[in-house]
Amino acid sequence: MNPTNNLTTSTSNDMITEEPRAPHVPRLTRRLTGFLPQEIKSIDTIIPLQSRKTWSKHQVKKFGDNDGFEQRFIGHVETTLGRSLYNCDDLAAYEATSLSVRDNLIIDWNSTQQRITARDPKRVYYLSLEFLMGRALDNALINMDVEKSNGKGSENSRGLVKDSLDQLGFRLEDVLQKEPDAALGNGGLGRLAACFVDSMATQDIPAWGYGLRYEYGIFAQKIIDGYQVETPDYWLKYGDPWEIERTEIQVPVTFYGYVERQNGDTTTLSPSEWIGGERVLAMAYDFPVPGYKTSTVNNLRLWKAKPTTEFDFAKFNSGDYKNSVDQQQRAESITAVLYPNDNFNQGKELRLKQQYFWCAASLHDIIRRFKKSQKPWSEFPDQVAIQLNDTHPTLAVVELQRVLVDLEKLDWHKAWDIVTKTFAYTNHTVMQEALEKWPVGLFGRLLPRHLEIIYDINWFFLQSVEKKFPKDLGLLGRVSIIEEASPERQIRMAYLAIVGSHKVNGVAELHSELIKTTIFQDFVRVYGEKKFTNVTNGITPRRWLKQANPKLAGLIAEAINDPEETFLLDMSKLTALTKVSDDPVFQEKWDKVKAANKLQLADLIKAGNDGVDIIDRDHIKNTLFDIQVKRIHEYKRQQMNIFGVIYRYLAMKKMLKDGASIEEVAKKYPRKASIFGGKSAPGYYMAKLVIKLVNAVAEVVNNDKEIQDLLKVVFIADYNVSKAEIIIPASDLSEHISTAGTEASGTSNMKFVMNGGLIIGTVDGANVEITREIGEDNIFLFGNLSENVDELRYNHRFQKVDLPTELDIVLKYIESGKFCTDNPNEFKPLTDSIKHHGDYYLVSDDFESYTATQELVDEVYHGQKQQWLKKSIESVANVGFFSSDRCIDEYSETIWNVEPVKPEE
Ligand SMILES: *Cc1c(COP(=O)(O)O)cnc(C)c1O
């Protein structure tokens, strides 16, 4: 068809055949904006009673045995995928398996949603710009129970599917490997959201997650010549069998434009009309979230940006057809890519667009669901709890106020009361560079009405502060949501989130205390202590114990006589392990599981090293695996770790030079593999330099014949969730060594402990509570405390501080160019930041106690292996507190006020 000919006469429904939009005809525009009178079809469309009878006759059934699974599998291969069994590779088998498993989940998803609609309880909405889900299939197989066909209870569906795939000629392990990670997050914050949706489903909490469906997740990391190179993560290349495209759910979202007020209404507090400029559609994609040992399947709804079907006839008529189409296509760029910064605020306009797009679509969806129950607005906070995962979704606060005032015509103060009762805010950092701020100019252009509303929120807030603390202008300036900064005013999103919420929580006890005494101290004066609370982070034991470490889960089940593995739902049951922590026979079994996991990691490392082994497999049981995997960041201090490795290497070399035998060296510095992994933000120069240094050290150390394989250094490329599942179970020791007061919680510390690894760490984040739970004899703590950090930093700035000898040796060696190939000064920025730029992360202050503690670690691991194993077992016995199930209990009780909706028996 010739598009040009067609367009001149078309009345195709792809194009809205209204008159052209223009600023002087706002009435027409209104029909197309925001909250249209036209209702979008709901997920549970009413079906006439008559036809329901016919429906129930043909009820879709879940597969419950091998036959049932195989039928589904073959059906999906031959019809959904349109392939034959003779032409079915592992990828197709993965897709067909996933689709078959998904069928079961969708059936439970449907009954879960119907049950919740019928009972209409208070619901939780977890708003997170990141969901670092990892793989879905193995997790679904573990979480999904299949009713046994003989009616005798249920069994884990993993075994069933494994057997069936065997029959069909596939290995489950190979099929699982075909799934790409859903890596829609940077690190801890995104993984926390993923653990939380797992726990909410497991606990039958009526909860939905809302986020964005990025076409590109966090970049894949390649290491080329020791440098990080980012490559795009187009995870949807083969489509995603787990997503359900909701073409019927499309929400219009508006940007730019201007504000108009009705005749006579001159104040910004009265209902105003936002005449939007650019318009896009948010289309929903749903991902089923199965709970463990429950038929509850919750929903994760992710939005994709699409062009509207409107067509700019004005532009077309002026002969600019191509431009009017181009502009439409730009809509999709909103959800194209995840911003790859961890703990850093970049302030880009497209990021703000992402945030508003997501908040507007999610709120529209939440409000539509609320309106179905026909309750008055005053009951909204009794029906809806919205949790803000960091400040990224804070615009939802403003958007709800806009909907209530401008569209629903509620009085400002009544509206604001509803808003603040609905939202709660989780803070994730005290670091200034990570706190979100938006210049009012940029913000006001994109969201003119929202800027007015923020000014009004701030006006009333500051009035209430002035009333409580009269004439304290300093205080007013400090707590104002608008920062009077030059060259431009900025909106402080954390302050807006506090003012718009009824509860603010930190993510570990130390962090929750710190926010009260530092960045939010004025708000504690204004609101009182009670608004500020703590919910220490947690992780799901289903993924991080059962899925990642099936051998250990099996051994635990045997040891505590819990063959059904109910400890995965009640981790306090693990305390029964204390009884056997001293038993040499059990210790030996424990050690064997660890050794098997270390072999798996050795395979992963080998695969990443062109098939050449770095780890000596013959000595794997007495090689200490010392692991630091997490985002690369100066505050996490991977630089201190690698300096420690260099120190060890130089000390070994010195012993040899002074005439010691290799046996003597091995006695002081026994076998160790120092393993690193993690991504740097693409624009983070210092972090990238640390990656290069680790790889440069690895090159030298691993090829030094003199030290005879006693020390190995490895950088594992492209750290992600599925690699974490292999790496973490293999650790003897893991490093959580952030400058005290900088790591809000950390969650990988919990994952490592849950897998029987010991920790070397600073008194920071959740390390504090880990110590309390597992006992201070079972963790290697070192370094300065957070209360001393200010003074230490002050000393670096204003006094001359001598470097400790060990560190001086290391830095001089680096500066001698021994790790450099081309540029002998390559690592100078790293050494300079310590020597000449104030050592902001206090490496020099903690280095001696770090290396001393590392020597203690060696002594215990190599000299007192039984003690080590006992520590390991006792740690696991007492790790129960860090299950994300406990977090969800605390949020439910103290913040959300929601209750489970249990499936009928
Ligand atoms: C748990 C996890 C993190 C968070 O690690 P921290 O050490 O707590 O910063 C980051 N990335 C991945 C892939 C994880 O699984």
Side-chain angles (χ1 to χ4, degrees), residues 132 186-188 191 544 629-630 636 719-721 724 736 743 746-749 751:
L132 193 52
N186 276 286
R191 184 55 231 177
W544 295 111
V629 284
K630 48 182 81 229
K636 291 175 184 277
Y719 180 57
N720 59 19
V721 171
H736 307 274
E743 187 76 272
T747 49
S748 84
N749 42 6
K751 298 171 196 164

Side-chain angles (χ1 to χ4, degrees), residues 443-492:
F443 191 101
R445 247 173 286 125
L446 189 71
L447 300 165
R449 177 57 182 150
H450 294 77
L451 183 59
E452 290 182 350
I453 292 171
I454 290 172
Y455 273 118
D456 287 332
I457 292 169
N458 196 36
W459 164 252
F460 287 115
F461 168 63
L462 291 181
Q463 272 195 332
S464 74
V465 177
E466 157 69 20
K467 210 164 162 189
K468 199 163 172 195
F469 303 95
K471 306 228 159 62
D472 192 342
L473 286 179
L475 179 66
L476 291 180
R478 289 199 305 278
V479 299
S480 174
I481 294 168
I482 307 295
E483 182 178 48
E484 298 292 332
S486 79
E488 207 188 343
R489 291 178 174 162
Q490 309 252 347
I491 307 168
R492 298 156 158 164

Side-chain angles (χ1 to χ4, degrees), residues 143-160:
N143 280 17
M144 181 182 75
D145 276 346
V146 179
E147 295 305 315
K148 274 189 184 158
S149 42
N150 60 11
K152 284 187 185 158
S154 64
E155 68 175 332
N156 193 280
S157 56
R158 200 174 187 277
L160 186 156

